[in-house]
Amino acid sequence: MNISILGCGWYGQALAKALISAGHIINGSTTSPQKMDGLAADGIEPYLVNFSPGNEHYDNAFFACDVLFICIPPKSRSGEGPEFIDKIQGVISAIKKHSVKKVVFISSTAVYADVNSEVHELSDPQPNTEAGRILFQAEELFRVEATFKTTIIRFAGLIGPGRDPGRFFSGKRDIANGSAPVNLIHLDDCIGLSMAILEQQAFGYLFNGCSPDHPGRSEFYTQAAVNSGLEKPEFINELKEWKVVRSVNVEKVLGYRYKVRIE
């Protein structure tokens, strides 16, 4: 297939390389001219693409694809709320203009509030953070579109090469909520789920991408620091707001089995 990846960041570039190894033709986008050579070196056809309001530009050839992956998370810490929704609306307009029929939108389990229970794809997310609200609003924009099919993947916390969980809390003290369960997914399983969706042409679905393993924060991050030879963090032994992210669709629709244990 000819697959375009909008946003070749940590996940997008790794996905691109895996898809190239599987024999697909990959177009990858960046907003930075300095990253073009790096994409090309990985066998990705590089494109400068920007959907920021007032600075929108792209090459029509980027949207000449069988499947489009959209991997551009909102920069909520810098206050990119309304601007992110404007970007997504711009992307959707381009999708319709160029008659792309299959889309994968990368979202996050941040859309689920900490409701002190398990949540899954049939749960009401009730987002209560800025990032969660923005992403859920973006998801809704794709859900109402009838001219193309969108699969939404809500990834949990991302770990893997370059994202060593041992570094997340190393050396810190009095970290709250030490008994809360973690919700994480390794890069290998991010790619594995994505490949399974393509292989099975599972479009029009919602998938929670989260390991079925949920150790406590203190247990997991302390051991991760030890494994990386870093200073142990110290957590407060308490259980405040929490959630356990499950999936009813990953096994039911894809039959996917996670490769990397979170322990």
Side-chain angles (χ1 to χ4, degrees):
M1 287 183 287
N2 191 314
I3 299 169
S4 290
I5 300 177
L6 182 63
C8 282
W10 183 78
Y11 156 78
Q13 191 162 356
L15 174 64
K17 291 192 282 187
L19 290 171
I20 288 168
S21 295
H24 300 290
I25 299 167
I26 305 301
N27 307 310
S29 86
T30 178
T31 58
S32 172
Q34 291 77 24
K35 294 183 179 178
M36 296 281 280
D37 289 345
L39 296 182
D42 284 332
I44 303 165
E45 186 67 33
Y47 287 86
L48 275 176
V49 176
N50 197 326
F51 279 96
S52 296
N55 192 31
E56 183 175 310
H57 61 267
Y58 63 86
D59 187 322
N60 291 337
F62 179 77
F63 286 93
C65 59
D66 301 304
V67 181
L68 171 68
F69 277 80
I70 301 170
C71 324
I72 49 171
K75 300 170 185 174
S76 52
R77 289 180 182 174
S78 60
E80 189 200 43
E83 184 177 322
F84 181 74
I85 297 303
D86 289 342
K87 282 183 183 179
I88 294 301
Q89 289 173 328
V91 173
I92 289 173
S93 293
I95 289 169
K96 294 162 79 170
K97 177 181 178 182
H98 297 283
S99 301
V100 180
K101 296 302 181 187
K102 296 173 183 176
V103 174
V104 180
F105 177 65
I106 303 302
S107 185
S108 165
T109 56
V111 301
Y112 298 108
D114 288 334
V115 290
N116 301 339
S117 66
E118 291 189 0
V119 294
H120 49 69
E121 292 96 339
L122 303 178
S123 303
D124 179 11
Q126 305 172 25
N128 61 354
T129 64
E130 180 68 7
R133 284 188 287 267
I134 293 167
L135 281 167
F136 191 62
Q137 187 178 348
E139 289 182 6
E140 288 295 297
L141 294 176
F142 287 101
R143 268 189 280 268
V144 300
E145 289 294 337
T147 58
F148 58 90
K149 279 192 171 183
T150 303
T151 278
I152 297 168
I153 309 176
R154 292 173 177 164
F155 281 140
L158 303 170
I159 61 173
R163 294 199 179 194
D164 176 4
R167 297 185 178 276
F168 291 2
F169 295 103
S170 175
K172 295 183 179 178
R173 303 284 181 266
D174 297 324
I175 306 165
N177 219 13
S179 298
V182 301
N183 296 286
L184 300 169
I185 184 170
H186 192 277
L187 179 60
D188 288 352
D189 283 308
C190 293
I191 293 171
L193 273 173
S194 304
M195 299 281 273
I197 289 165
L198 289 173
E199 289 163 4
Q200 300 181 41
Q201 292 292 288
F203 292 96
Y205 292 94
L206 169 64
F207 296 105
N208 285 341
C210 184
S211 167
D213 304 314
H214 302 273
R217 296 179 84 209
S218 176
E219 171 193 353
F220 174 76
Y221 287 108
T222 300
Q223 187 58 53
V226 170
N227 293 346
S228 296
L230 301 169
E231 184 180 356
K232 292 182 182 179
E234 293 182 6
F235 288 81
I236 300 171
N237 184 18
E238 61 184 5
L239 181 61
K240 293 185 174 180
E241 293 83 5
W242 59 276
K243 62 178 174 273
V244 168
V245 177
R246 305 283 189 197
S247 175
V248 296
N249 288 339
V250 167
E251 185 171 349
K252 178 181 175 183
V253 177
L254 300 175
Y256 183 77
R257 294 288 187 274
Y258 282 82
K259 304 170 184 177
V260 180
R261 296 294 306 271
I262 306 296
E263 55 187 5

